[in-house]
């Protein structure tokens, strides 16, 4: 399971499917782009949710990155993005062979959301799995961290 964590001042996701609508909007916290790989399990979802909730990337009173999403009570917005496993080893058109198909990735995406909500003790914003979406954000820092459960 791979995630791109972006510390944000705010973020929103609009679903472009009919009817077009705003799926979620958050204040200060994290925008998390999430991809599921073929061999991922619920353990990957649990590990990643725990790591993201506790990752110390928010500023303390002296401006040092010593506080976690949990510590600051920040919001989270999670958007599924299978393209995080895109490979350009051959040619210039990405291959997505490592990305799990929907019947595997959707339940694990949902499990990750469930685990992150349990870790943070509050509702997590989300996009609509498999939909075309517009994601907007105001980066804070910017601080962007790539996490991969295979590298745990």
């Amino acid at each position: 399971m791979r995630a791109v964590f972006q510390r944000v001042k705010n973020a929103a996701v609009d679903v472009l499917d009919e009817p077009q609508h705003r799926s979620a909007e958050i204040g200060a916290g994290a925008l998390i782009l999430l991809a599921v790989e073929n061999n991922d399990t619920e353990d990957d979802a649990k590990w990643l949710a725990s790591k993201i909730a506790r990752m110390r990337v928010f500023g303390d009173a002296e401006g040092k990155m010593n506080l976690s999403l949990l510590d600051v009570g920040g919001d989270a917005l999670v958007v599924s993005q299978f393209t995080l496993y895109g490979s350009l080893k051959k040619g210039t058109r990405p291959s997505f062979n490592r990305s799990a198909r929907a019947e595997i990735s959707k339940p694990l995406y949902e499990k990750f959301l469930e685990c992150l909500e349990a870790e943070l003790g509050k509702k997590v914003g989300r996009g609509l799995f498999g939909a075309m979406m517009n994601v907007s954000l105001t980066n804070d820092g910017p601080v962007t961290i790539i996490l991969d459960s295979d590298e745990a």
Side-chain angles (χ1 to χ4, degrees):
M1 196 168 276
R2 182 172 288 164
V4 174
F5 173 104
Q6 293 181 295
R7 192 176 72 185
V8 298
K9 292 183 184 281
N10 56 65
V13 60
D14 295 316
V15 175
L16 302 180
D17 293 353
E18 293 298 326
Q20 185 171 337
H21 65 282
R22 173 137 302 168
S23 179
E25 187 170 7
I26 65 166
L31 169 66
I32 301 147
L33 306 175
L34 183 74
V36 177
E37 188 178 21
N38 288 313
N39 297 323
D40 286 336
T41 67
E42 287 190 3
D43 287 340
D44 293 291
K46 291 174 189 173
W47 177 87
L48 192 58
S50 177
K51 188 64 79 172
I52 284 173
R54 289 168 176 72
M55 196 168 45
R56 297 180 349 184
V57 295
F58 293 89
D60 62 15
E62 286 132 26
K64 294 186 180 181
M65 291 197 302
N66 278 325
L67 302 176
S68 69
L69 196 54
L70 268 171
D71 295 329
V72 300
D75 293 329
L77 172 58
V78 181
V79 176
S80 63
Q81 189 172 348
F82 76 93
T83 60
L84 294 178
Y85 280 113
S87 172
L88 290 166
K89 283 188 177 183
K90 297 179 182 178
T92 56
R93 183 172 183 249
S95 165
F96 302 105
N97 291 340
R98 289 181 60 192
S99 299
R101 295 188 320 204
E103 60 267 18
I104 295 169
S105 58
K106 187 173 182 180
L108 288 174
Y109 168 76
E110 295 292 336
K111 183 65 176 178
F112 172 80
L113 290 166
E114 175 188 313
C115 291
L116 188 58
E117 286 178 341
E119 292 283 347
L120 298 177
K122 65 180 181 177
K123 188 86 170 133
V124 170
R126 61 197 70 200
L128 179 62
F129 184 90
M132 290 297 294
M133 295 172 273
N134 285 340
V135 179
S136 59
L137 68 139
T138 303
N139 271 319
D140 182 12
V143 173
T144 302
I145 308 288
I146 300 170
L147 299 103
D148 199 318
S149 62
D150 282 349
E151 298 172 8

